Amino acid sequence: MLRRLLRVVLALIALAFLGYGLATNWDETTGAVAAMSPWAVLGAFAAVLLGQFCVLVAWREILAGLGTRVPLRIAGRIMFVGQLGKYIPGAVWAYAAMMDLGRDHGSPPRRTFATISLSLVINLGVAVSIAAATLGSLEAVRKAWYLVLLVPVIIVCLHPKVLTWGLNLALRVARKEPLESVLPGRTVVVAVAWTALGWFVYGLHIWLLSGRSDLYLVATGAYAFAWATGILTIVVPAGVGVREGALVLVLAPLIGTPAALAVAIVSRVAFTLADAAAAGISFVLGRQAASSAPAYADQNGSGSTALTPDRNLSGSPEA
């Protein structure tokens, strides 16, 4: 109860700082939003959706590398519908939802857990690396130099043997069965490549919203830096307020505080709508009769979890 209250308080504090900045620059910020081209806003939304698709392909590649191969539409249903839990205070909800959805489609919970964790590590490593490569000359980012120290750590952790050891340690702590296979190195390379492509596509949405044709690389690095800052603030749901503050910190010296606030606000709206759209589309396209969900034995391991009810081979809860 106390931890949940702390998360809510910190989220409110982050939003309060963002709200103060918005109130101070209200007229200029609303003017900047109104001045945005509708085509730029629509293009930004499309870029976010395309970036999410790239991340989905990387996520599916990791899941397949661990032994569960599902169609892209099923992977989308597991990832996009499940990750809506990130908007609830507490990091466990998205994990629990994706693990349960994965189980419905033949992925043992420990394997889905490993996929989520590895995807997060890869995203964080790629985001920090892009931010360091594109924003090194900006004073605001140089103050957060410690983030760069995460890059070599993450690279070491992505070695298949180190990765498997770390994930199995986490599974033992959670009292779950260990992984039955090591993630192939090729899978890590492919997942990193798709993730990097996704980040450069995400950069398009900040570039379009900023209205500055010369800021594409900076825009990409700015969002990568903001996302990494938000995700590392694990106590705030979906990095609300923190991500926007970091984005304004980077963009304000380049395009002005009101315009930076406008970009941050529209970016958050675009991602929220894209999350909802991706979840809705994936839910419809990924609908699959429970009886067609493959048995665990066909996915190289059965395993069980206490997070969800026991299920029979049809995927439905046992009576």
Side-chain angles (χ1 to χ4, degrees):
M1 179 64 182
L2 182 60
R3 294 177 65 184
R4 180 175 297 180
L5 179 61
L6 176 62
R7 293 188 182 105
V8 172
V9 170
L10 289 175
L12 291 175
I13 291 174
L15 288 172
F17 276 107
L18 182 65
Y20 175 77
L22 180 60
T24 304
N25 301 273
W26 178 258
D27 291 336
E28 296 88 345
T29 302
T30 54
V33 172
M36 287 182 179
S37 165
W39 292 109
V41 175
L42 184 61
F45 176 72
V48 171
L49 281 177
L50 183 57
Q52 288 180 325
F53 174 80
C54 294
V55 173
L56 170 62
V57 175
W59 196 91
R60 176 176 174 260
E61 183 71 21
I62 296 168
L63 186 64
L66 290 174
T68 298
R69 298 185 180 277
V70 295
L72 195 61
R73 61 189 178 86
I74 299 301
R77 189 167 194 249
I78 297 170
M79 191 183 94
F80 289 134
V81 175
Q83 75 172 2
L84 292 179
K86 69 185 179 182
Y87 290 100
I88 303 174
V92 67
W93 302 112
Y95 268 77
M98 283 190 272
M99 289 165 68
D100 197 48
L101 287 166
R103 181 173 184 165
D104 285 342
H105 295 285
S107 177
R110 68 183 183 277
R111 195 176 293 164
T112 308
F113 174 87
T115 301
I116 302 166
S117 301
L118 177 56
S119 178
L120 181 61
V121 170
I122 290 177
N123 266 287
L124 184 59
V126 172
V128 171
S129 299
I130 290 175
T134 57
L135 304 178
S137 61
L138 298 182
E139 180 63 28
V141 178
R142 284 206 297 267
K143 293 178 180 178
W145 58 268
Y146 52 85
L147 289 177
V148 180
L149 298 179
L150 291 173
V151 177
V153 175
I154 291 173
I155 291 175
V156 171
C157 289
L158 286 179
H159 187 281
K161 290 185 178 179
V162 177
L163 177 64
T164 303
W165 175 84
L167 289 175
N168 281 337
L169 178 62
L171 287 167
R172 281 198 298 272
V173 171
R175 297 182 180 180
K176 307 301 175 189
E177 296 180 25
L179 293 174
E180 65 279 1
S181 61
V182 176
L183 187 68
R186 176 189 173 279
T187 297
V188 175
V189 172
V190 173
V192 168
W194 273 104
T195 301
L197 178 60
W199 277 107
F200 281 105
V201 174
Y202 281 149
L204 287 173
H205 96 282
I206 297 296
W207 175 65
L208 289 169
L209 294 176
S210 70
R212 288 276 301 273
S213 60
D214 59 329
L215 288 184
Y216 170 66
L217 287 178
V218 172
T220 302
Y223 184 73
F225 172 76
W227 181 88
T229 303
I231 205 68
L232 289 172
T233 312
I234 57 176
V235 294
V236 178
V240 175
V242 176
R243 189 171 82 190
E244 287 72 28
L247 192 58
V248 170
L249 183 69
V250 176
L251 293 179
L254 302 173
I255 63 176
T257 299
L261 281 165
V263 170
I265 292 169
V266 177
S267 171
R268 170 63 73 173
V269 172
F271 263 91
T272 302
L273 292 177
D275 283 343
I281 294 170
S282 298
F283 179 79
V284 173
L285 295 181
R287 293 187 68 178
Q288 175 178 330
S291 60
S292 65
Y296 288 171
D298 295 332
Q299 297 288 356
N300 300 321
S302 55
S304 62
T305 178
L307 287 177
T308 56
D310 289 338
R311 297 175 184 268
N312 54 32
L313 294 184
S314 71
S316 59
E318 293 280 10

